[in-house]
């Protein structure tokens, strides 16, 4: 019932009760007490009748007045939602009247101090009192009690679990609450992803996972981005949200100086243009919350703030004081915004486990303020989407002009010595594992999609799709802002890794079945039975592989899957127990280079280059060749001490590197293609992490915060001399620089390649000296960089950085090192601004932090081991004792040609060829190639060099494929590849015939033609919109045009073609 009718119903019931008592008293024995009771009953009856008439009359009058405020309102972007409950006029007639939107919410971390399961179940309460299932159990009946109440929910990883435990009655109740707008899903991703350490493909994946669930179960589409907890915000994030059809983006954490500036200048709300390549198409209304995302002080009723008392019969009547405190806070907020709307965050981490406590107390304040219009505040339960609707209506009516912002919100600091830039690198091993699992996931999805010509629909079973889902959901959870960010407790980090490992095992099983089926179908498989099964060597980075270790017992067949839609050269390195090995491919024996394995005594490494067609499987066999004593191919490393020269060099066709034999360090890079030499040194050094005893602040360096004790770096050895060995071979040459057992690196030049390969082996970082260490790799050059450097944004556009400067507010430089660190997802570069016209780029294999602290210098943090907590909630030191292996690729050339190489290598690093080894097959090399198909490719032709096949995933109904094509270059980045690209999807796939192709928004939950986002009047509204040529592919023979940085999403219906 509406809350206004409850008093009427109460008194009506009370009057009826006393009437029945009165009636009964006349038919009972006469007594003094009964006569007195009857008299009282009669009085109550009369009073009740009068009150009922008065109250019902006032209710009827009030309801008539508020009929428009309570009438169901159809939601513009979700027409099946009709909002009910109280909603005031969005454009108040009094200019001083404020509209307070109370947003009841819970922020449920998908792992942090507890694992995702512990949080859901409410277990391990000694760490944190939190149980998500009880929150949802509590919220639903609380919403049913009062139609004016509203609540938002965000993390679908939790909600999906809870949903599948509910009976039909509860599901019907929830659907009713969703359709009436009382329960609203905001953001709607599997998690609330991080923005510094995630890559754009992973973000799209996890958002799609949640959005598809909501569409399937409720037929709704979230319209607001809600990132209240991530620790800084990337330019790519609003771009992705805009392409998903979102109307607004809301968050809380920005630099404390920036926030104060924005409050003072009414700039907490802006329009943010996320992509300069796509321009206005990526503009999105953005709200920075006035305070943190928690309850304002005094209104955390579930945390124990005093309850609100509006009953004069009870001592400590305080509703007036609590309401006035709220009005005072709302008025303070109102000073910071351009419209009369203010957003009051009512909730916090894992709140509303006892929803009645919060709602009941806030109900009383709302009722009081509505009954006292003199406060001039309209207050009601709202949601972020309602808030944006109100702001937009007011903005349009009053012609509000919004500042257009084109910059990101990194780095984040909450005090002068507390820059949250350490987490860019924290838990480097987990960061690398997350990135590599994405490659396995996407590779499996693409192979399953493109192999239908082999299998028809026989592999598209619910069981097989569920195997992919196991890894897809573990990968989605890992994008959470306390997961891949590395800011969780240690046992939670282990849990994330275990989930990814389990998901990999399920996906590996499907991969094996796919590869076996492709190889056997139409072949002479009866020659050598049984059909092989395949597995992934999970520890190749540790030089361990059971399959290759068995080469002494017989040939070891393996398959390489190229998950990219381009032909490529992939360099492979396998550990083997003997040196006399060879690799045979479909066209015969291929060149190999063998040398002693530096990691494992008595083992060797065999290295070779595989030429892989686009989106293909290619089979090879590793075998022995003669006796070990007959083999003369082993390249034995030479020590620099044995060289009677001051310099050791390695080179290939394009690059030459010079190393000083005295220091063991590089001193010169030469690009032979452009005939340029650059004096350049590179070394591994470390910052001493603050323990919190600095004279300026007690802030320690921790999982979140990077705070070195000084700007100085420290050498690994006293004299900073590295023990240097080198190898020159026909396929590659390398230099190994050994500073300590816990810190060494290998620098390689591969035949024909234009990049320098760096492989770092770090750990366990020693702490016996009581010092926390933050390890960096640093390049120092004479390049005149003028304080400027560039870092990528979640793997997309490069961002312009200037040391000790912020483009939107006056920056107080209190942290000259950590305050200049930015997230590096895939690349960081610096370039000379003079006539030298040179650029040095570092490409990474995982997310890390990077900076240019001095002109001509570039550094990337590769590992951290700390001894103190930084006081931001995790409650333990980041004391990881892992040994990690990290890869960087360095490109040194002209800026005009650098981006083309950077973009291609960036995707090849993130999408490495996947080796799968046959585990149960015995036979000869000849028998292998006689028995099975040698190769398979899913494409008729490669994609253009500037287009990436981002997504190709069979949807859960099995008869549709989700396809995304991505132009990987930014506007103006390259003279050739930044031009528009075109793909004929109808002719692209070898075994698939396209029957139907529907263009969708980025998260694939609505047709692109249905997307209708709010537009806003900005300080740059006269700028022309970027043309994207989104013609319907069905009208152009399935030809798709792509502009720079554009991602186009389709759901295609296909028919499998028989394999020829």
């Amino acid at each position: 019932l509406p809350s206004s009718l409850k008093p009427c119903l109460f008194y009506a019931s009370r009057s009826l009760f006393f009437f029945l008592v009165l009636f009964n008293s006349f038919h009972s024995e006469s007594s003094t007490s009964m006569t007195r009771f009857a008299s009282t009953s009669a009085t109550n009856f009369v009073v009740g009748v009068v009150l009922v008439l008065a109250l019902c009359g006032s209710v009827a009058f009030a309801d008539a007045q508020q009929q428009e405020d309570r009438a169901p309102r159809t939601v513009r972007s979700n027409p099946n939602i009709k909002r009910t409950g109280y909603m005031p006029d969005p454009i108040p007639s009094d200019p001083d009247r404020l509209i307070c939107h109370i947003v009841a919410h819970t922020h449920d971390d998908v792992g942090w101090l507890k694992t995702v399961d512990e949080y859901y179940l409410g277990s391990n309460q000694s760490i944190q009192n939190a149980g998500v299932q009880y929150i949802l159990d509590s919220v639903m009946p609380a919403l049913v009690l009062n139609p004016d109440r509203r609540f938002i929910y965000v993390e679908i990883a939790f909600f999906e679990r809870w949903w599948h435990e509910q009976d039909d009655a509860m599901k019907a109740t929830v659907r009713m609450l969703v359709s009436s707008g009382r329960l609203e899903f905001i953001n709607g991703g599997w998690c609330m992803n991080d923005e510094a350490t995630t890559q754009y493909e992973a973000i799209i994946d996890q958002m799609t996972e949640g959005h598809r669930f909501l569409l399937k179960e409720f037929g709704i589409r979230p319209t607001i981005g809600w990132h209240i907890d991530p620790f800084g915000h990337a330019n790519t994030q609003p771009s992705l949200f805009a392409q998903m059809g979102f109307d607004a983006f809301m968050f809380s954490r920005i630099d404390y100086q920036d926030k104060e500036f924005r409050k003072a200048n009414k700039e907490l709300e802006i329009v943010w243009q996320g992509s300069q390549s796509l321009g206005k198409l990526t503009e999105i209304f953005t709200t920075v919350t006035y305070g943190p995302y928690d309850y304002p002080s005094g209104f955390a009723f579930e945390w124990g703030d005093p309850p609100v008392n509006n009953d004069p019969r009870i001592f400590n009547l305080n509703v007036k004081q609590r309401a006035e405190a709220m009005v005072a806070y709302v008025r303070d907020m109102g000073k910071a915004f351009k419209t009369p709307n203010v957003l009051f965050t009512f909730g916090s981490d894992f709140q509303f486990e006892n929803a009645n406590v919060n709602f009941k107390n806030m109900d009383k304040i709302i009722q009081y303020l509505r009954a006292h219009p003199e406060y001039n505040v309209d207050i009601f339960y709202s949601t972020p989407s309602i808030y944006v609707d109100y702001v937009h209506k007011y903005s349009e009516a009053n012609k509000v002009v919004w500042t257009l912002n084109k910059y990101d919100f990194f780095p984040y600091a909450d005090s002068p010595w507390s820059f949250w830039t350490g987490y860019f690198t924290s838990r480097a091993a987990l960061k690398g594992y997350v990135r590599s699992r994405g490659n396995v996931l996407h590779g499996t999805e693409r192979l399953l999609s493109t192999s239908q010509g082999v299998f028809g629909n026989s592999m598209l079973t619910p069981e097989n799709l569920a195997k992919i889902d196991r890894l897809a959901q573990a990968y989605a959870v890992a994008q959470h802002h306390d997961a891949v960010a590395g800011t969780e407790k240690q046992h939670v980090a282990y849990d994330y890794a275990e989930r990814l490992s389990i998901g990999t095992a399920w996906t590996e099983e499907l991969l094996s079945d796919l590869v076996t089926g492709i190889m056997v179908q139409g072949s002479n498989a009866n020659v050598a039975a049984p059909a092989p099964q395949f597995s992934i060597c999970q520890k190749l980075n540790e030089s361990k592989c059971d399959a290759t270790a068995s080469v002494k017992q017989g040939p070891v067949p393996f398959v390489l899957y190229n998950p990219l839609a381009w032909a490529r050269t992939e360099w492979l390195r396998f550990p083997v127990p003997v040196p006399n090995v060879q690799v045979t491919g479909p066209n015969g024996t291929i060149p190999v280079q063998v040398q002693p394995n530096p990691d494992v005594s008595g083992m060797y490494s065999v290295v070779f280059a595989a030429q892989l067609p686009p989106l293909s499987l290619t089979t090879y066999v590793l075998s022995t060749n003669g006796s070990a004593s007959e083999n003369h191919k082993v390249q034995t490393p030479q020590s620099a001490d044995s060289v009677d020269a001051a310099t050791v060099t390695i080179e290939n066709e394009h690059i030459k590197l010079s190393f000083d034999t005295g220091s063991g360090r590089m001193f010169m890079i030469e690009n032979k293609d452009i005939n340029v030499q650059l004096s350049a040194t590179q070394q591994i050094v470390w910052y001493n992490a603050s323990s919190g005893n600095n004279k300026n602040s007690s802030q320690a360096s921790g999982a979140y915060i990077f705070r070195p004790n000084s700007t100085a770096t420290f050498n690994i050895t006293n004299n900073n001399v590295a023990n240097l060995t080198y190898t020159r071979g026909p396929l590659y040459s390398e230099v190994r620089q050994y500073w300590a057992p816990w810190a060494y690196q290998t620098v390689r030049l591969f035949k024909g390649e234009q990049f320098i390969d760096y492989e770092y082996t770090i750990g366990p970082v020693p702490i016996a000296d009581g010092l926390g260490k933050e390890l960096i790799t640093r390049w120092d050059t004479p390049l005149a960089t003028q304080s400027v450097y560039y870092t990528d944004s979640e793997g997309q556009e490069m961002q312009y950085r200037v040391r000790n400067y912020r483009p939107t507010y006056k920056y107080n430089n209190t942290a000259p090192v950590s305050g200049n660190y930015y997230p590096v997802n895939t690349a960081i570069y610096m370039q000379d601004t003079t006539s030298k016209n040179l650029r040095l780029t570092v490409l990474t294999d995982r997310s890390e932090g990077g900076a240019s602290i001095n002109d001509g210098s570039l550094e990337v943090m590769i590992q951290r081991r700390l001894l103190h907590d930084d006081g931001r909630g995790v409650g333990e030191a980041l004391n990881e004792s892992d040994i990690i292996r990290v890869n960087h690729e360095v490109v040194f050339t002209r800026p005009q040609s650098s981006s083309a190489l950077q973009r291609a290598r960036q995707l090849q690093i993130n999408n490495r060829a996947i080796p799968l080894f046959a585990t149960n097959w015995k036979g000869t090399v000849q028998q292998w190639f006689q028995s099975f198909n040698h190769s398979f490719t899913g494409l008729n032709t490669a994609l253009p060099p500037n287009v990436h096949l981002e997504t190709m995933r069979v949807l859960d109904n099995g008869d549709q494929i989700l396809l995304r094509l991505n132009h990987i270059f930014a506007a103006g980045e390259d003279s050739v590849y930044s031009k528009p690209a075109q793909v004929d999807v109808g002719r692209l796939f070898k075994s698939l015939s396209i029957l139907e192709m529907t263009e969708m928004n980025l998260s694939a939950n609505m047709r692109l033609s249905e997307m209708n986002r709010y537009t806003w009047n900005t300080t740059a509204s006269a700028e022309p919109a970027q043309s994207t040529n989104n013609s319907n592919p069905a009208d152009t023979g399935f030809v798709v045009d792509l502009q720079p940085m554009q991602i186009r999403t389709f759901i295609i219906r296909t028919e499998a073609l028989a394999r020829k």
Side-chain angles (χ1 to χ4, degrees):
L1 286 172
S3 55
S4 56
L5 284 177
K6 289 178 182 177
C8 181
L9 179 62
F10 168 73
Y11 282 107
S13 303
R14 179 177 176 181
S15 300
L16 179 60
F17 168 73
F18 283 116
F19 173 75
L20 292 173
V21 171
L22 178 64
F23 179 79
N24 185 62
S25 69
F26 289 119
H27 295 81
S28 306
E29 290 185 15
S30 177
S31 67
T32 303
S33 59
M34 186 58 68
T35 303
R36 188 180 302 115
F37 182 70
S39 175
T40 303
S41 298
T43 303
N44 276 294
F45 174 68
V46 173
V47 170
V49 168
V50 172
L51 286 172
V52 165
L53 292 173
L55 278 167
C56 289
S58 66
V59 166
F61 176 74
D63 280 351
Q65 276 195 319
Q66 297 178 358
Q67 184 176 7
E68 183 178 349
D69 294 336
R70 296 179 180 279
R73 289 170 167 81
T74 299
V75 178
R76 177 181 60 89
S77 52
N78 282 292
N80 56 333
I81 295 178
K82 302 189 186 305
R83 291 192 183 117
T84 61
Y86 177 81
M87 294 176 67
D89 188 338
I91 305 178
S93 55
D94 184 344
D96 294 326
R97 191 167 184 81
L98 292 179
I99 304 172
C100 177
H101 299 253
I102 300 174
V103 176
H105 75 101
T106 178
H107 174 58
D108 295 345
D109 288 303
V110 187
W112 177 39
L113 307 182
K114 304 199 295 188
T115 70
V116 60
D117 286 349
E118 289 172 338
Y119 270 135
Y120 180 74
L121 294 172
S123 55
N124 214 348
Q125 297 289 66
S126 61
I127 293 178
Q128 185 180 12
N129 185 12
V132 173
Q133 61 175 330
Y134 308 124
I135 293 171
L136 295 168
D137 287 343
S138 176
V139 164
M140 303 309 164
L143 292 176
V144 170
L145 281 176
N146 182 349
D148 283 350
R149 294 174 178 173
R150 296 184 178 93
F151 188 81
I152 66 168
Y153 199 74
V154 176
E155 294 85 6
I156 305 305
F158 283 133
F159 185 85
E160 184 261 356
R161 294 179 181 209
W162 180 85
W163 178 252
H164 290 304
E165 293 177 357
Q166 305 311 304
D167 58 23
D168 290 342
M170 177 53 75
K171 286 184 176 181
T173 298
V174 174
R175 286 193 171 101
M176 177 273 294
L177 293 171
V178 171
S179 66
S180 62
R182 290 144 72 183
L183 173 65
E184 185 167 340
F185 293 102
I186 298 296
N187 208 67
W190 210 244
C191 68
M192 185 185 296
N193 64 261
D194 185 51
E195 298 184 42
T197 61
T198 47
Q199 204 235 8
Y200 73 100
E201 292 180 82
I203 295 169
I204 296 169
D205 284 347
Q206 76 87 14
M207 291 298 293
T208 302
E209 201 75 25
H211 284 193
R212 298 283 298 175
F213 169 82
L214 293 174
L215 183 66
K216 177 182 175 182
E217 296 295 341
F218 301 101
I220 59 101
R221 306 174 181 93
T223 61
I224 305 293
W226 179 259
H227 273 205
I228 53 175
D229 198 23
F231 330 119
H233 305 280
N235 259 351
T236 295
Q237 195 70 48
S239 173
L240 298 180
F241 279 166
Q243 294 174 72
M244 290 174 190
F246 282 12
D247 282 319
F249 184 17
M250 298 182 175
F251 50 81
S252 176
R253 297 186 190 271
I254 63 172
D255 186 279
Y256 71 101
Q257 300 168 90
D258 193 7
K259 199 159 199 175
E260 290 307 311
F261 170 82
R262 292 180 182 280
K263 283 182 179 179
N265 293 276
K266 293 191 175 185
E267 289 290 311
L268 287 172
E269 292 184 323
I270 55 175
V271 172
W272 190 358
Q273 185 182 104
S275 167
Q276 294 192 41
S277 296
L278 296 173
K280 291 179 73 69
L281 293 171
T282 63
E283 290 179 6
I284 191 168
F285 184 76
T286 301
T287 294
V288 182
T289 61
Y290 178 80
Y293 62 84
D294 303 320
Y295 309 97
S297 178
F299 301 95
F301 305 113
E302 198 174 356
W303 280 350
D305 279 346
V308 177
N309 176 20
N310 63 348
D311 189 340
R313 299 173 301 170
I314 301 174
F315 288 173
N316 297 319
L317 181 71
N318 67 353
V319 64
K320 183 175 186 292
Q321 292 90 332
R322 300 311 301 134
E324 289 180 346
M326 173 172 273
V327 169
Y329 181 75
V330 168
R331 292 249 165 243
D332 281 343
M333 283 198 292
K335 297 173 185 176
F337 293 92
K338 292 182 178 180
T339 82
N341 296 278
V342 294
L343 192 148
F344 186 102
T345 53
F346 186 47
S348 190
D349 292 1
F350 300 99
Q351 291 301 286
F352 282 78
E353 195 167 314
N354 189 343
N356 187 54
V357 170
N358 278 331
F359 278 127
K360 188 170 185 177
N361 283 282
M362 187 56 73
D363 286 350
K364 294 175 182 178
I365 294 175
I366 291 172
Q367 290 166 6
Y368 181 86
L369 289 176
R370 287 207 196 137
H372 292 80
E374 64 271 18
Y375 289 106
N376 215 15
V377 173
D378 264 322
I379 182 170
F380 71 115
Y381 291 113
S382 184
T383 68
S385 62
I386 295 174
Y387 175 84
V388 172
D389 287 345
Y390 273 53
V391 171
H392 188 262
K393 286 184 174 69
Y394 183 91
S395 176
E396 291 292 293
N398 291 273
K399 295 181 172 53
V400 177
V401 177
W402 303 96
T403 298
L404 183 69
N405 175 69
K406 297 184 179 182
Y407 305 100
D408 65 8
F409 291 87
F410 283 121
Y412 165 58
D414 58 12
S415 78
W417 294 276
S418 303
F419 282 81
W420 295 44
T421 53
Y423 81 97
F424 300 162
T425 303
S426 295
R427 302 199 187 279
L430 179 63
K431 282 177 165 65
Y433 192 55
V434 170
R435 185 72 60 88
S436 69
R437 294 313 87 186
N439 185 34
V440 174
L441 171 64
H442 297 146
T444 307
E445 290 174 341
R446 291 164 193 160
L447 184 57
L448 178 62
S449 298
T450 56
S451 62
Q452 292 182 39
V454 176
F455 302 107
N457 294 328
S458 64
M459 294 298 288
L460 305 181
T461 63
E463 293 77 14
N464 282 340
L465 296 178
K467 290 174 183 178
I468 290 181
D469 284 344
R470 290 292 294 270
L471 182 55
Q473 292 182 6
Y475 185 60
V477 164
Q479 308 312 315
H480 168 58
H481 58 269
D482 284 307
V484 68
T487 53
E488 64 278 73
K489 283 186 177 291
Q490 185 65 63
H491 82 282
V492 181
Y494 290 148
D495 183 75
Y496 288 130
E498 183 178 9
R499 291 175 187 279
L500 290 165
S501 178
I502 292 170
T504 299
W506 282 100
T507 303
E508 181 182 358
E509 186 179 298
L510 174 58
L511 259 179
S512 176
D513 291 343
L514 290 170
V515 173
T516 299
I518 289 170
M519 293 180 58
V520 168
Q521 197 262 356
S523 70
N524 298 316
N526 60 324
V527 173
Q533 296 296 307
F534 293 87
S535 66
I536 298 172
C537 279
Q538 301 289 353
K539 296 185 178 181
L540 272 177
N541 66 319
E542 298 179 23
S543 297
K544 295 178 182 178
C545 180
D546 291 341
T548 60
S550 68
V551 71
K552 287 192 298 184
Q553 285 74 50
V556 178
F558 62 95
V559 170
L560 294 178
Y561 179 63
N562 176 14
L564 283 178
W566 308 326
R568 71 195 293 180
T569 299
E570 183 78 0
W571 289 93
L572 283 303
R573 176 182 300 272
F574 295 157
V576 291
V578 291
N580 54 315
V581 293
Q582 65 181 14
V583 174
T584 306
N587 299 316
T589 303
I590 62 177
V592 300
Q593 184 171 323
V594 179
Q595 70 179 61
N597 189 309
D599 299 321
V600 183
S601 178
M603 293 287 287
Y604 298 85
S605 296
V606 56
V607 176
F608 61 97
Q611 306 300 324
L612 303 177
L615 218 62
S616 66
L617 282 173
T618 309
T619 64
Y620 298 84
V621 179
L622 175 70
S623 62
T624 56
N625 179 23
S627 65
S629 60
E630 296 172 349
N631 193 286
H632 303 290
K633 296 179 182 177
V634 177
Q635 307 293 325
T636 303
Q638 303 295 311
S639 171
D641 295 336
S642 65
V643 179
D644 188 19
T647 302
V648 165
T649 62
I650 58 173
E651 60 186 305
N652 65 8
E653 299 89 333
H654 305 285
I655 303 167
K656 181 178 180 180
L657 303 177
S658 301
F659 295 82
D660 177 71
T661 55
S663 67
R665 298 196 305 276
M666 182 183 72
F667 67 88
M668 183 78 70
I669 302 176
E670 179 182 348
N671 185 315
K672 296 158 78 172
D673 296 334
I674 58 175
N675 195 28
V676 170
Q677 291 183 334
L678 179 71
S679 297
T681 63
Q682 180 275 331
Q683 57 188 321
I684 301 173
V685 293
W686 57 278
Y687 289 104
N688 178 19
S690 173
S691 59
N693 59 355
N694 188 278
K695 64 180 181 180
N696 292 319
S697 168
S698 60
Q699 179 63 61
S701 204
Y704 298 93
I705 291 170
F706 169 36
R707 188 179 183 220
N709 262 341
S710 71
T711 59
T713 57
F714 297 87
N715 300 325
I716 293 171
T717 59
N718 289 333
N719 55 8
N720 199 25
V721 172
N723 179 24
L724 185 147
T725 60
Y726 66 95
T727 303
R728 299 190 185 108
L731 297 185
Y732 73 95
S733 298
E734 70 175 31
V735 165
R736 185 178 172 88
Q737 297 162 286
Y738 188 95
W739 280 277
W742 58 272
Y744 53 93
Q745 69 182 26
T746 305
V747 186
R748 298 187 179 100
L749 294 177
F750 292 102
K751 182 179 179 180
E753 301 291 2
Q754 296 175 278
F755 60 86
I756 309 166
D757 182 81
Y758 279 82
E759 180 184 81
Y760 311 96
T761 305
I762 304 294
V765 177
I767 54 173
D769 55 6
L771 301 177
K773 297 175 178 64
E774 325 240 15
L775 274 80
I776 66 168
T777 176
R778 188 177 68 210
W779 289 262
D780 292 302
T781 74
L783 293 177
T785 55
Q786 304 295 313
S787 300
V788 174
Y789 52 111
Y790 298 78
T791 63
D792 72 290
S793 176
E794 297 178 334
Q796 289 209 300
E797 285 166 282
M798 301 299 292
Q799 308 296 305
Y800 176 82
R801 310 297 189 191
V802 180
R803 188 166 56 253
N804 299 329
Y805 171 76
R806 302 293 187 267
T808 58
Y809 62 96
K810 185 177 180 180
Y811 174 63
N812 180 24
N813 181 25
T814 55
V817 176
S818 58
N820 286 300
Y821 259 66
Y822 289 89
V824 178
N825 299 109
T826 59
I828 179 172
Y829 71 75
M830 61 180 175
Q831 64 187 39
D832 194 284
T833 57
T834 68
S835 58
K836 289 181 181 177
N837 191 31
L838 296 171
R839 179 186 295 180
L840 189 141
T841 304
V842 180
L843 302 169
T844 67
D845 69 346
R846 68 201 70 197
S847 294
E848 296 167 325
S852 176
I853 303 303
N854 296 293
D855 277 4
S857 179
L858 205 62
E859 65 186 56
V860 178
M861 187 177 291
I862 52 179
Q863 179 61 312
R864 318 177 73 214
R865 190 175 185 188
L866 310 174
L867 304 179
H868 300 275
D869 177 51
D870 55 19
R872 295 308 185 273
V874 76
E876 64 183 35
L878 185 70
N879 187 12
E880 285 197 317
S881 57
D882 297 335
I883 300 175
I884 64 167
R885 183 152 279 167
V886 176
N887 278 94
H888 289 169
E889 292 184 4
V890 174
V891 175
F892 167 62
T893 188
R894 303 286 187 204
Q896 292 87 341
S897 57
S898 183
S899 293
L901 186 55
Q902 172 195 326
R903 291 294 182 183
R905 290 307 308 167
Q906 165 184 326
L907 274 176
Q908 292 189 52
I909 292 169
N910 289 334
N911 297 268
R912 298 205 185 266
I914 302 171
L916 297 108
F917 296 89
T919 57
N920 65 332
W921 188 85
K922 302 295 180 183
T924 67
V925 174
Q926 185 178 14
Q927 285 176 325
W928 175 264
F929 286 104
Q930 288 177 345
S931 302
F932 304 109
N933 297 313
H934 305 165
S935 62
F936 165 83
T937 179
L939 301 183
N940 285 313
T941 183
L943 285 178
N946 52 1
V947 177
H948 172 42
L949 180 63
E950 181 183 312
T951 305
M952 193 171 186
R953 180 178 181 180
V954 176
L955 297 178
D956 51 14
N957 53 17
D959 63 352
Q960 294 178 321
I961 291 175
L962 177 60
L963 174 71
R964 290 191 184 94
L965 297 171
N966 172 206
H967 194 307
I968 62 172
F969 283 79
E973 195 169 46
D974 185 88
S975 60
V976 175
Y977 297 125
S978 289
K979 293 177 180 178
Q982 190 173 83
V983 177
D984 187 346
V985 178
R987 298 180 179 180
L988 182 63
F989 301 108
K990 196 164 220 174
S991 61
L992 296 175
S993 174
I994 310 298
L995 303 178
E996 185 180 359
M997 188 168 173
T998 305
E999 185 156 16
M1000 308 294 288
N1001 67 330
L1002 188 58
S1003 55
N1005 65 349
M1006 77 170 82
R1007 292 173 181 265
L1008 186 66
S1009 59
E1010 298 172 354
M1011 200 166 83
N1012 180 27
R1013 299 174 57 239
Y1014 280 144
T1015 58
W1016 305 82
N1017 186 25
T1018 72
T1019 50
S1021 289
E1023 290 185 3
Q1026 302 295 107
S1027 172
T1028 55
N1029 297 326
N1030 281 342
S1031 57
N1032 185 351
D1035 298 333
T1036 57
F1038 304 119
V1039 172
V1040 174
D1041 295 307
L1042 291 154
Q1043 300 297 314
M1045 277 291 130
Q1046 187 180 15
I1047 303 172
R1048 295 185 69 177
T1049 304
F1050 305 92
I1051 290 180
I1052 60 176
R1053 191 166 60 85
T1054 65
E1055 179 179 68
L1057 300 175
R1059 183 180 179 189
K1060 298 179 181 179

